[in-house]
Amino acid sequence: MRSVNEDKVISNINQLGHNYGLIVLAKLSNVEREERDLFSELESYDQQKIKQSLELLVENEFLQVRIEEIMPPNIYYSISEKGEQLIPFIKQLEQMK
């Protein structure tokens, strides 16, 4: 059995924005969501950390962002192809007891 490269795992988890990143990815797993709706649905979480996770997920290409240039602008997030690769992992975590 191959040993786990701990540094690589830590680096990849840091790119996700820790547990908030996984929550955001799960919420976007099959649909584009408007930022306000996403924040509303995640209102019980630290909103600043959610925002930071969104930025990190976009920066690391797990999410795509689309902005409608109206005032105020509407910001939409959707999962990228790279982010889609994590959905089976997230579903496995969901099923764990």
Side-chain angles (χ1 to χ4, degrees):
M1 179 178 211
R2 203 170 117 197
S3 66
V4 174
N5 181 333
E6 292 177 28
D7 292 334
K8 180 88 170 162
V9 170
I10 290 168
S11 172
N12 287 331
I13 289 174
N14 287 336
Q15 288 180 10
L16 291 173
H18 302 287
N19 60 340
Y20 287 107
L22 293 175
I23 292 167
V24 169
L25 286 172
K27 295 291 181 188
L28 295 168
S29 65
N30 60 357
V31 65
E32 180 181 70
R33 302 285 300 272
E34 203 272 327
E35 185 179 65
R36 286 183 291 235
D37 292 339
L38 189 59
F39 278 112
S40 176
E41 189 169 335
L42 298 171
E43 68 184 354
S44 62
Y45 297 95
D46 182 326
Q47 297 293 291
Q48 185 62 32
K49 288 187 179 184
I50 294 294
K51 182 70 172 167
Q52 290 170 347
S53 292
L54 282 167
E55 291 170 358
L56 192 60
L57 290 167
V58 169
E59 178 183 318
N60 288 297
E61 301 175 353
F62 290 104
L63 293 181
Q64 298 170 336
V65 64
R66 179 175 65 86
I67 301 172
E68 288 182 352
E69 298 295 336
I70 60 173
M71 287 311 264
N74 290 337
I75 303 170
Y76 295 89
Y77 293 95
S78 60
I79 197 161
S80 69
E81 193 173 309
K82 183 177 177 181
E84 281 288 337
Q85 295 174 9
L86 295 172
I87 298 305
F89 170 72
I90 293 170
K91 290 193 182 296
Q92 284 181 342
L93 287 174
E94 181 182 53
Q95 294 173 2
M96 292 175 70
K97 293 183 180 184

